[in-house]
Amino acid sequence: MERTSFDIVVVGGGAAGLRAAIAAAESDPELTIALVSKVYPMRSHTVSAEGGTAAVLRDYDSFELHALDTIKGSDFLADQDAVEFFVARCPEEIIRLEHWGCPWSRDEDGRVSQRAFGGMSVKRTVYAADKVGFHILHTLFQTSMKYDRIHRFDEYFVTSLIVDGGACTGVVAMNLRGGTMVAIQGKATILATGGCGRVYEFTTNGFIKTGDGMALAYRAGVPLKDMEMVQFHPTCLPGTGILITEAARGEGGYLVNKEGERYMQRYLPGKMELGPRDILSRAMVQEMKAGRAFEGPYGLYLGLDLRHLGAKKINERIPMVRELVEKYMGLDPIHELIPVRPGQHYIMGGVSTNGKGETTLPGLYAVGETACVSINGANRLGSNSLSECLVFGAACGIAAAAFAKKKASYPRGAAAREALKKEEARVFDGLLGRERAKETVAGLRVEMQQLMERDVGIFREESALVDACGMLGKMRDRFAAVGLADKDRVFNTELTAVLELDFMLDVALAIAHSARNRRESRGAHSRTDFPQRDDANYLKHTLAFRTDGPPRIDYVPVTVTKWEPVERKY
Amino acid sequence: MTGREYAWKRRPGWWLRNRRYLMFQLREAGGVVCALYGLVLLNMLVQLRAGESAYAAFLNLLRTPPVLYLNIVLFALVVWHALTWFMLIGKAQPIQFTRQPLPWKVVFGINVLLWLGVSGAVVYLIFGGI
Amino acid sequence: MAASDVVFRVKRYRPESGGRPTFQEYTIPYRSDMVVLDGLNYIKDHIDPTLTFRWSCRMGICGSCGADVNGQPRLTCGTYVRDVHRGAVTVEPLSNFPILKDLVVDFDDFLRKLASVTPYIVRKDWGDLRKEYVQYPEDVEAYRQQSLCINCMLCYAACPVFGSSPEFVGPAASALALRYNRDTRDEGADARLARLNTKAGVWECTFVGECSVVCPKDVDPAAAIQTLKFLATMRHMRRLLMPGSSSR
């Protein structure tokens, strides 16, 4: 009989989830930890991160500077106490990973190399060629195999949280392989399921990034914070949306329009291609609107020029960029321009947590892209996200471990059994029983994605946002008519797609409503009708609470410690 | 309601699906054949010990057309076995003087040259005479 | 069927109905830049939602989407239909693995084998956690190639030895073992070689070499296994002839 009661349940097997599980395992040899993931951990989307991970490692750098860069990059929406905590712990996480075998790229003297990155004043991005996410994930996954007390539940899809007596006591999950539901109980539960990029049509995100953890917490009454802050990465390949790492610009690449001009000199002459992502993405859209972009089979695009870097640098520092461009565009970046356009990439917003990953629901934690602490505020700097997963993954794992240790007994079995019965009825009898008719999961999903792309994208405006909120509300209702053709319980990916669409509609509503209510422009949130930043009214985080109708929006102030908000100039 | 996994079954003739699998099977079969030919050579020694007429009779047998054709086939297999072996040496035992080991094609080339050299010396010894 | 259509022949298997896997044909619109995965997604979204397959990153780094395409193990996200279009595109689950459903196979066996080769840094003394271990660029280069394995299982599908001897540790697990053996920071080479110096370890391998041919990341597991054979033998000889000597 498989064990189903643990001290800690981690949902999601990416960098944040694995780091939290390992931290918990190391903090106490008695703790039992469940790692529940809807895919095998090495398939988690951490694997596709390319550029690097930031930390203060050298004398030319300082915590003060890393914090300032991060806070300024966030357009002063980041909570400064959390940022101070964060930057101080990045170096030890990088070193710890290095000790665990991560193949960081090295300088000639054998020390870990660092490269330049967008929005960073100095070279502080540690890298592993241009496969940093792949190497971090595999290092963490393989290191996690050291601990017997991390029990893996691979290909278990979590459908709901178990809430008992005002606390979270575990999850209900569908075993894809067995076709059954199981209640996995935990004294503490950590959500580390990543972001929700798949609510947009054009995204760098993999298929699995559907905001599951965000929706699970949301449905349990936990607010989602700063959901309107969606990051669009400037350099994605047209058509597929595959990411071309910022490191290409960090190593000296140029962005050019169809006239061959390095157009960033008109938008951000101080930083050029190494400005923060929100500014670069907006600049691209403006170049497109001004008619200075190339035209291709997948629409307008700009050019990323690496030709002047030379074959040696490209093959050593950014080899995967070359592989991807050759494979998916049929072009060689050593000799030709790379077509690029902005695409959804990351969401700064997420489950509202404090600096230890705690949510408002006792026993429930969130970490990584799923969470919003917030250290990224209104715009995240590249290479801060992986560091965030490591620092807060560790902090959260330790906090959850301490919480679990304080609890003498395991959660009540009765609550778990009840939750399990409810989910079986909802999913197997309810959802699975619905017949496939006119409303299909793929059709509704594409409509939602296109709507988000059009109305809640890089540039937003009141009437479009109001329209989007209304349409999404209707889609939320239309979901009730979505039926399934696949009636099997074993490995039913049509059923998981329906469950994911269910989650995505909730998350999309939170994004649209949060965006509509923030009547200013800050960081990645750009309102054409309110183009200025408005600290007097909006130096605060948006909170979205789920209701049966549209989300209830509230606000909570930003924590300012040392850095008074000033105009964000580069 | 759980399902049954379907145990994978290997198709007979799997090695015909793919040129490389076929070359592999020929290489392995060639190895067996080389070993069997060793038995023929051993038999030659036995016949030599049995006396001149037995030895002469055996040599005559070896000179008949069917056996000669067989020898051609066997020689081809031996050469294929040797060539595939040389192709693998660079991978099996990398030789490294610089940051990267020598490419397998270079090792292959060196071995083929050495092989031709040694074979040439043997042929000279047998037919050229000391 | 329009001139710009393509036929996909996909192997189906329903675990709840049992029986044997059978082919099902679908005719879908063709685009010159479509990959096999695009075709599978089109079928699932518009024609037959019961078609089941794994995928995630669509850029060849997560390793989810392996399948036998026209008899060859390939990543469906990295295989252009124009390259494999021979009248029809045949898509089957990866060879040598038990089939769970349609194109989804069971590879838990690999994860057990991976765990068995101690795939993490082993050290007695971890030293100062505030300073990185010194590792020169040429040291990183020594194990870089083996570290690129995305666990996609194409090598296991290609290996006829694994097909007939399922206990064989296999190409990917061996390559990852070598990756750690060659990492200058690791001290666990001895234990790994002991585990691999067995019949079900590297000695099952007869150097067919197909694993390295199909590897989408150029890991060259075949070379890794032969290297491990050599290293395992050296270790064995050392232990036989010099039983007192310390091992690395």
Side-chain angles (χ1 to χ4, degrees):
Chain A
M1 238 329 259
E2 215 177 65
R3 187 197 178 102
T4 54
S5 197
F6 297 85
D7 292 302
I8 301 176
V9 175
V10 180
V11 182
L18 284 168
R19 184 69 190 91
I22 293 172
E26 288 193 325
S27 78
D28 189 331
E30 306 273 302
L31 287 177
T32 54
I33 299 145
L35 188 71
V36 183
S37 171
K38 67 180 179 183
V39 292
Y40 283 91
M42 63 282 199
R43 315 296 188 213
S44 304
H45 202 59
T46 304
V47 80
S48 66
E50 299 177 24
T53 181
V56 173
L57 291 176
R58 285 176 161 81
D59 292 336
Y60 58 67
D61 202 357
S62 70
F63 293 145
E64 183 90 16
L65 193 54
H66 189 182
L68 171 62
D69 286 343
T70 302
I71 291 164
K72 188 173 166 193
S74 79
D75 217 346
F76 295 90
L77 197 66
D79 290 310
Q80 297 180 10
D81 54 343
V83 174
E84 289 180 283
F85 176 88
F86 165 66
V87 299
R89 276 156 195 80
C90 290
E92 72 192 63
E93 286 302 319
I94 302 299
I95 305 296
R96 191 176 280 112
L97 262 185
E98 191 273 326
H99 282 211
W100 285 341
C102 196
W104 301 127
S105 292
R106 303 281 179 154
D107 288 342
E108 287 304 324
D109 65 358
R111 293 201 59 202
V112 169
S113 300
Q114 291 179 290
R115 56 157 63 125
F117 231 68
M120 301 286 190
S121 320
V122 297
K123 288 186 177 179
R124 72 166 67 94
T125 298
V126 173
Y127 59 99
D130 56 353
K131 289 189 158 100
V132 72
F134 165 78
H135 284 298
I136 288 180
L137 183 63
H138 281 251
T139 301
L140 284 172
F141 178 54
Q142 285 160 16
T143 301
S144 77
M145 290 183 168
K146 272 201 290 204
Y147 307 97
D148 287 337
R149 28 189 202 293
I150 298 180
H151 300 247
R152 286 208 330 268
F153 288 83
D154 296 325
E155 294 188 322
Y156 277 69
F157 188 105
V158 174
T159 63
S160 104
L161 300 177
I162 304 172
V163 180
D164 181 25
C168 177
T169 58
V171 301
V172 177
M174 186 165 64
N175 174 359
L176 291 179
R177 224 108 38 93
T180 57
M181 289 261 190
V182 62
I184 303 173
Q185 297 178 81
K187 295 176 181 174
T189 303
I190 302 177
L191 296 170
T193 55
C196 57
R198 284 272 153 172
V199 303
Y200 283 87
E201 187 183 26
F202 186 72
T203 173
T204 64
N205 285 192
F207 171 62
I208 56 177
K209 297 281 292 285
T210 51
D212 297 4
M214 294 176 180
L216 289 169
Y218 190 53
R219 288 171 180 192
V222 177
L224 295 176
K225 189 157 70 188
D226 291 342
M227 289 302 280
E228 67 273 33
M229 301 307 177
V230 177
Q231 181 167 81
F232 292 84
H233 194 291
T235 55
C236 311
L237 294 179
T240 54
I242 289 172
L243 174 70
I244 296 299
T245 175
E246 187 157 286
R249 288 173 279 130
E251 296 296 340
Y254 300 148
L255 283 170
V256 298
N257 58 22
K258 79 173 183 208
E259 282 143 32
E261 180 204 359
R262 276 179 77 186
Y263 60 86
M264 283 309 297
Q265 65 204 348
R266 273 186 281 111
Y267 300 90
L268 205 62
K271 277 271 184 187
M272 296 295 284
E273 284 83 3
L274 286 179
R277 291 169 180 179
D278 56 330
I279 296 178
L280 258 66
S281 295
R282 280 194 289 270
M284 283 185 142
V285 174
Q286 278 157 337
E287 286 295 296
M288 289 173 177
K289 286 210 175 94
R292 290 190 286 268
F294 300 95
E295 268 188 62
Y298 290 104
L300 299 171
Y301 63 91
L302 282 307
L304 177 60
D305 193 353
L306 303 183
R307 294 171 298 185
H308 56 283
L309 297 181
K312 184 164 182 291
K313 198 178 214 185
I314 292 177
N315 286 326
E316 246 174 50
R317 306 278 188 89
I318 41 176
M320 189 160 83
V321 166
R322 182 164 185 225
E323 281 164 33
L324 290 169
V325 174
E326 279 182 330
K327 187 157 186 82
Y328 292 100
M329 294 262 96
L331 301 166
D332 187 350
I334 293 179
H335 306 296
E336 300 165 277
L337 286 183
I338 305 175
V340 290
R341 53 157 286 200
Q344 196 282 347
H345 177 61
Y346 180 84
I347 179 161
M348 278 65 74
V351 178
S352 181
T353 72
N354 65 10
K356 291 204 291 244
E358 290 169 342
T359 68
T360 53
L361 185 60
L364 184 65
Y365 297 76
V367 69
E369 194 179 348
T370 305
C372 181
V373 182
S374 157
I375 59 154
N376 297 310
N379 173 68
R380 174 176 72 76
L381 294 184
S383 72
N384 262 351
S385 173
L386 285 167
S387 298
E388 177 184 8
C389 291
L390 297 171
V391 169
F392 290 102
C396 183
I398 292 169
F403 179 86
K405 259 181 68 183
K406 281 211 313 266
K407 281 192 167 306
S409 56
Y410 285 98
R412 290 191 312 137
R417 282 192 294 278
E418 207 183 292
L420 177 60
K421 273 214 335 254
K422 238 182 76 189
E423 279 300 286
E424 279 174 332
R426 180 179 79 90
V427 174
F428 286 149
D429 303 329
L431 282 175
L432 196 53
R434 303 206 301 223
E435 283 312 313
R436 184 172 193 248
K438 250 182 55 194
E439 201 76 81
T440 63
V441 61
L444 191 56
R445 183 178 65 224
V446 167
E447 257 191 73
M448 171 195 68
Q449 289 169 332
Q450 288 175 342
L451 175 76
M452 293 297 286
E453 192 73 37
R454 198 181 58 233
D455 293 338
V456 199
I458 295 176
F459 284 107
R460 301 150 174 192
E461 167 280 316
E462 182 82 23
S463 60
L465 287 170
V466 168
D467 192 48
C469 290
M471 293 290 293
L472 285 169
K474 289 212 189 75
M475 285 182 199
R476 181 72 274 178
D477 295 332
R478 282 166 60 194
F479 177 79
V482 170
L484 286 86
D486 191 348
K487 298 299 186 191
D488 285 352
R489 291 191 183 186
V490 173
F491 226 101
N492 188 335
T493 51
E494 191 189 13
L495 178 58
T496 55
V498 169
L499 290 166
E500 286 166 343
L501 179 58
D502 195 15
F503 290 149
M504 285 197 281
L505 285 168
D506 273 357
V507 169
L509 269 166
I511 296 175
H513 280 270
S514 301
R516 178 189 163 184
N517 281 280
R518 182 175 288 268
R519 292 183 179 85
E520 64 151 0
S521 287
R522 182 185 297 264
H525 176 69
S526 230
R527 296 274 304 244
T528 52
D529 46 355
F530 296 95
Q532 298 305 323
R533 197 175 92 191
D534 180 3
D535 282 351
N537 290 310
Y538 285 105
L539 191 64
K540 51 197 185 184
H541 299 291
T542 311
L543 292 177
F545 290 85
R546 190 174 197 271
T547 71
D548 283 333
R552 175 174 69 83
I553 301 293
D554 200 355
Y555 292 91
V556 84
V558 170
T559 307
V560 173
T561 57
K562 289 220 281 276
W563 295 271
E564 275 309 307
V566 294
E567 196 191 336
R568 186 178 175 235
K569 275 222 290 272
Y570 284 98
Chain B
M1 201 204 308
T2 58
R4 270 197 320 280
E5 282 186 4
Y6 184 79
W8 178 84
K9 294 178 184 64
R10 203 228 288 271
R11 285 192 278 269
W14 62 270
W15 47 276
L16 291 169
R17 237 157 70 139
N18 183 323
R19 211 196 81 216
R20 289 174 301 275
Y21 287 150
L22 180 62
M23 296 290 108
F24 163 74
Q25 290 290 66
L26 279 177
R27 182 191 91 198
E28 298 294 286
V32 174
V33 160
C34 293
L36 288 176
Y37 195 68
L39 292 175
V40 171
L41 295 176
L42 271 176
N43 189 42
M44 191 156 77
L45 287 176
V46 171
Q47 299 305 324
L48 186 61
R49 200 168 173 275
E52 225 188 282
S53 58
Y55 183 64
F58 185 66
L59 285 185
N60 281 325
L61 176 64
L62 289 180
R63 285 193 189 101
T64 57
V67 178
L68 284 172
Y69 291 139
L70 185 63
N71 265 278
I72 292 170
V73 171
L74 294 176
F75 182 62
L77 284 171
V78 168
V79 169
W80 179 243
H81 194 86
L83 285 175
T84 51
W85 178 246
F86 293 148
M87 282 195 254
L88 297 178
I89 289 183
K91 292 281 180 86
Q93 184 37 50
I95 304 169
Q96 187 162 355
F97 301 114
T98 58
R99 264 205 191 187
Q100 299 280 16
L102 285 177
W104 72 265
K105 287 187 182 151
V106 171
V107 179
F108 171 74
I110 294 172
N111 273 284
V112 167
L113 287 173
L114 280 173
W115 181 46
L116 288 173
V118 170
S119 301
V122 169
V123 165
Y124 175 74
L125 277 173
I126 295 177
F127 295 105
I130 295 169
Chain C
M1 174 168 149
S4 59
D5 281 348
V6 61
V7 172
F8 267 52
R9 280 180 75 231
V10 188
K11 204 79 171 289
R12 307 296 309 276
Y13 173 68
R14 319 295 306 170
E16 289 175 45
S17 335
R20 307 184 57 208
T22 53
F23 278 107
Q24 193 166 347
E25 277 194 17
Y26 305 93
T27 304
I28 62 174
Y30 171 80
R31 257 181 20 239
S32 64
D33 63 351
M34 73 189 285
V35 291
V36 173
L37 179 62
D38 292 334
L40 295 174
N41 270 320
Y42 184 89
I43 296 168
K44 189 171 180 74
D45 286 348
H46 298 108
I47 307 178
D48 184 354
T50 66
L51 179 60
T52 305
F53 48 94
R54 291 186 174 119
W55 71 285
S56 181
C57 73
R58 54 90 165 84
M59 54 189 266
I61 193 80
C62 73
S64 307
C65 65
D68 271 12
V69 178
N70 288 359
Q72 267 280 81
R74 311 191 71 144
L75 296 179
T76 59
C77 73
T79 304
Y80 281 100
V81 171
R82 61 177 183 247
D83 291 338
V84 294
H85 190 180
R86 316 251 175 287
V89 177
T90 304
V91 189
E92 299 168 87
L94 284 178
S95 301
N96 302 340
F97 290 100
I99 305 174
L100 282 167
K101 180 169 172 173
D102 293 345
L103 300 176
V104 178
V105 297
D106 182 357
F107 64 93
D108 271 355
D109 172 60
F110 162 72
L111 288 168
R112 283 189 290 271
K113 286 171 180 167
L114 177 60
S116 78
V117 302
T118 323
Y120 42 81
I121 298 288
V122 170
R123 279 182 81 95
K124 238 175 39 190
D125 175 16
W126 288 85
D128 189 349
L129 277 169
R130 286 163 303 166
K131 277 185 64 176
E132 70 254 50
Y133 300 135
V134 168
Q135 190 172 66
Y136 297 102
E138 54 267 25
D139 297 331
V140 181
E141 189 57 34
Y143 67 89
R144 186 190 60 85
Q145 193 178 18
Q146 289 79 41
S147 74
L148 296 176
C149 174
I150 62 175
N151 301 3
C152 63
M153 306 287 93
L154 299 193
C155 54
Y156 285 77
C159 176
V161 172
F162 176 63
S164 55
S165 311
E167 68 280 7
F168 174 38
V169 71
S174 303
L176 285 165
L178 185 64
R179 172 254 180 278
Y180 281 99
N181 278 13
R182 279 188 170 160
D183 194 324
T184 51
R185 302 168 286 190
D186 174 75
E187 291 165 4
D190 196 70
R192 285 190 205 99
L193 287 174
R195 185 262 181 267
L196 290 168
N197 192 24
T198 57
K199 177 110 204 309
V202 290
W203 294 107
E204 275 284 2
C205 170
T206 54
F207 209 159
V208 179
E210 191 70 0
C211 54
S212 293
V213 170
V214 302
C215 178
K217 293 294 166 187
D218 209 18
V219 170
D220 204 354
I225 294 180
Q226 310 324 307
T227 306
L228 285 167
K229 285 178 184 171
F230 181 71
L231 292 173
T233 307
M234 294 283 285
R235 173 186 170 271
H236 192 75
M237 289 294 121
R238 245 201 325 267
R239 283 164 65 93
L240 267 179
L241 301 174
M242 302 181 288
S245 75
S246 63
S247 44
R248 151 104 162 102

